[in-house]
């Protein structure tokens, strides 16, 4: 079971240091935190497993504002989130650019949490499977590749997918590509047990509830009990 905390654009380096001091991940579960770039070095120095939130597809070059897999490895970072819906929504990320990022990161030796998920209108129109099929079609199973199913309507809204909706989507994704699949979207200590007990849910990508060490630790402990 893998529990990853996506901090998005929250926490400076000093707040990161405090969080890592208080974390103490339980045995039997892989715990990852994904701080902003400016807090990666501090997090990595604490001994916690650290992923970035994005990574570029080239090793170096004229790509202002981007960071490469090699640069992340240099800091002791072990992987990266790729294709998060916020990057797709606000930064023109496409299935093709996301896979380019993931492919290079995997080749360089980083783990990748590759995000997919439908928007609310797409679910209401009955297009969830079609959207997931399109998003997953660019993926090739590789060592170190994990998918995160994050229905966009459940992100930061408090509206978690039901355990059945999540399980159905995970089983569908796994029928297309044989990789572990995490669930993301309003995961919190109160719903972690039900979600993580589903057969095809292999862990969680946690946003808001990963910002407080108590709630993140509670989710990690639930995962450890179920592992
Ligand atoms: P929330 O847990 O805040 O809904 O965020 C989910 C997410 O986007 C994790 O990547």
């Amino acid at each position: 079971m893998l529990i990853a905390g996506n901090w998005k654009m929250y926490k400076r380096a000093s707040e990161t240091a405090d969080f890592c001091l208080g974390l103490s991940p339980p045995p039997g579960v892989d715990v990852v935190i994904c701080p902003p770039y400016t807090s990666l070095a501090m997090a990595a120095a604490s001994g916690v497993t650290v992923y970035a939130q994005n990574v570029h597809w080239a090793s170096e070059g004229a790509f202002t504002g981007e960071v490469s897999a090699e640069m992340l490895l240099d800091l002791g970072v072990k992987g990266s989130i790729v294709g998060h819906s916020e990057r797709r929504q606000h930064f023109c990320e496409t299935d093709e650019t996301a896979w380019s990022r993931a492919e290079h990161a995997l080749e360089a030796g980083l783990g990748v949490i590759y995000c997919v998920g439908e928007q609310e209108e797409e679910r209401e129109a009955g297009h969830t499977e079609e959207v997931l099929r399109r998003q997953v079609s660019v993926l090739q199973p590789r060592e170190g590749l994990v998918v995160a199913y994050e229905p966009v309507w459940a992100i930061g809204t408090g509206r978690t997918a039901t355990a059945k909706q999540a399980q159905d989507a995970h089983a569908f994704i796994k029928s297309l590509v044989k990789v572990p699949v995490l669930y993301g979207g309003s995961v919190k200590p109160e719903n972690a047990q039900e979600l993580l007990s589903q057969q095809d849910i292999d862990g969680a990508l946690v946003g808001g509830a990963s910002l407080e060490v108590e709630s993140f630790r509670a989710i990690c402990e639930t995962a450890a009990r179920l592992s």
Side-chain angles (χ1 to χ4, degrees), residues 172-191:
F172 180 69
I173 292 166
K174 287 185 178 182
S175 75
L176 302 173
V177 57
K178 301 260 169 295
V179 292
V181 183
L182 314 180
Y183 171 77
S186 298
V187 176
K188 36 190 184 267
E190 298 75 37
N191 59 25

Side-chain angles (χ1 to χ4, degrees), residues 148-222:
Y149 169 62
E150 299 203 305
V152 178
W153 47 271
I155 294 178
T157 58
R159 283 180 59 201
T160 321
T162 64
K164 176 160 183 349
Q165 284 171 325
Q167 164 58 29
D168 289 351
H170 282 228
F172 180 69
I173 292 166
K174 287 185 178 182
S175 75
L176 302 173
V177 57
K178 301 260 169 295
V179 292
V181 183
L182 314 180
Y183 171 77
S186 298
V187 176
K188 36 190 184 267
E190 298 75 37
N191 59 25
Q193 162 99 21
E194 197 190 0
L195 287 162
L196 295 174
S197 315
Q198 302 303 308
Q199 190 183 346
D200 291 304
I201 298 188
D202 304 307
L205 182 56
V206 186
S210 72
L211 293 172
E212 296 296 331
V213 77
E214 293 76 19
S215 50
F216 188 56
R217 196 190 310 114
I219 295 167
C220 295
E221 280 165 2
T222 299

Side-chain angles (χ1 to χ4, degrees), residues 74-148:
D74 224 24
L75 288 183
V77 171
K78 303 289 189 222
S80 183
I81 297 172
V82 170
H84 192 278
S85 64
E86 287 150 16
R87 298 222 49 93
R88 293 175 189 259
Q89 256 176 303
H90 306 303
F91 301 99
C92 307
E93 192 80 78
T94 65
D95 295 324
E96 288 70 30
T97 55
W99 178 245
S100 296
R101 293 177 192 277
E103 200 172 25
H104 180 80
L106 291 161
E107 271 162 21
L110 289 176
V112 167
I113 298 175
Y114 191 95
C115 302
V116 299
E118 79 288 359
Q119 302 192 18
E120 184 160 32
E121 313 79 74
E122 293 167 333
R123 174 163 284 269
E124 279 170 3
H127 294 155
T128 299
E129 291 198 348
E130 187 185 324
V131 171
L132 294 177
R133 187 188 297 281
R134 191 203 75 224
Q135 292 175 333
V136 164
S137 67
V138 294
L139 300 184
Q140 291 150 23
R142 297 273 172 86
E143 169 105 29
L145 175 64
V146 170
V147 164

